[in-house]
């Protein structure tokens, strides 16, 4: 069952997601997440989960993110911090190559400001996350619908 949630800038999405997640069985005591477009530029809804100790795969195409992640998450093991451009051709290898390619992902976020729908289509062939957070631009809706 899926639910579309429209968020406003003043809404605390971490609190909302935490409430939803408290109602399901997570994959482990802390949870696992994939964050595609994990730049330390603005409020990323996955970052509070990483702060809470979740195992996370953080991927961003900007090489400067390596030092920003180290500063933002000093306690996090950097082995799952990947600098790579994300396309539908590369995302499968990135996810599977880092041990996140099975159905043990609790939260997936995609915000890569390009062909997010094509990447989502590929990701869903690899894993089935319990929750998905995805940026959409209602001014330019895609011609593809995912349910």
């Amino acid at each position: 069952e899926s639910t579309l949630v429209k968020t406003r800038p003043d809404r605390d999405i971490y609190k909302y997601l935490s409430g939803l997640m408290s109602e399901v069985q997570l994959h482990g005591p802390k949870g696992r997440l994939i964050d595609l477009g994990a730049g330390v530029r603005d409020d990323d809804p996955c970052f509070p989960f990483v702060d809470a100790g979740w195992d996370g795969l953080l991927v961003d195409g900007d090489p400067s993110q390596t030092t920003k992640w180290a500063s933002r998450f000093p306690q996090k093991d950097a082995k799952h911090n990947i600098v790579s451009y994300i396309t539908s051709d590369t995302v499968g290898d990135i996810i599977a190559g880092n041990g996140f390619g099975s159905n043990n992902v609790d939260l997936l976020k995609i915000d890569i400001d390009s062909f997010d729908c094509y990447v989502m289509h590929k990701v869903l062939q690899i894993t089935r996350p319990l929750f998905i957070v995805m940026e959409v631009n209602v001014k330019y809706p895609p011609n593809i619908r995912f349910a």
Side-chain angles (χ1 to χ4, degrees):
E1 179 178 329
S2 65
T3 303
L4 175 64
V5 178
K6 293 182 180 180
T7 60
R8 301 184 317 262
D10 59 339
R11 185 173 206 164
D12 185 352
I13 194 160
Y14 171 71
K15 184 176 179 181
Y16 180 79
L17 286 171
S18 294
L20 287 176
M21 290 178 190
S22 69
E23 299 176 16
V24 299
Q25 179 66 41
L26 298 178
H27 297 101
K30 291 286 188 178
R32 291 173 49 92
L33 65 88
I34 298 172
D35 190 346
L36 303 177
V40 182
R41 295 181 272 284
D42 50 21
D43 292 331
D44 187 304
C46 290
F47 287 0
F49 293 99
V50 176
D51 290 335
W54 281 40
D55 185 19
L57 173 61
L58 308 180
V59 185
D60 197 273
D62 179 1
S64 73
Q65 294 307 315
T66 302
T67 55
K68 292 179 181 181
W69 286 325
S71 175
R72 174 66 177 78
F73 304 112
Q75 79 288 358
K76 185 182 182 305
D77 183 352
K79 70 179 178 182
H80 294 309
N81 297 350
I82 309 299
V83 174
S84 176
Y85 288 105
I86 304 161
T87 69
S88 59
D89 293 329
T90 63
V91 73
D93 290 338
I94 293 168
I95 291 172
N98 286 282
F100 285 78
S102 60
N103 288 331
N104 61 356
V105 175
D106 299 298
L107 176 61
L108 166 70
K109 187 211 89 186
I110 298 180
D111 181 1
I112 57 173
D113 296 332
S114 57
F115 28 80
D116 299 34
C117 290
Y118 295 105
V119 169
M120 173 65 74
H121 181 73
K122 185 66 171 190
V123 170
L124 292 178
Q125 294 172 3
I126 300 164
T127 187
R128 292 290 184 172
L130 295 176
F131 296 93
I132 298 171
V133 175
M134 190 167 176
E135 179 186 51
V136 296
N137 186 333
V138 295
K139 293 179 183 175
Y140 307 101
N143 59 359
I144 299 172
R145 294 182 67 164
F146 292 92

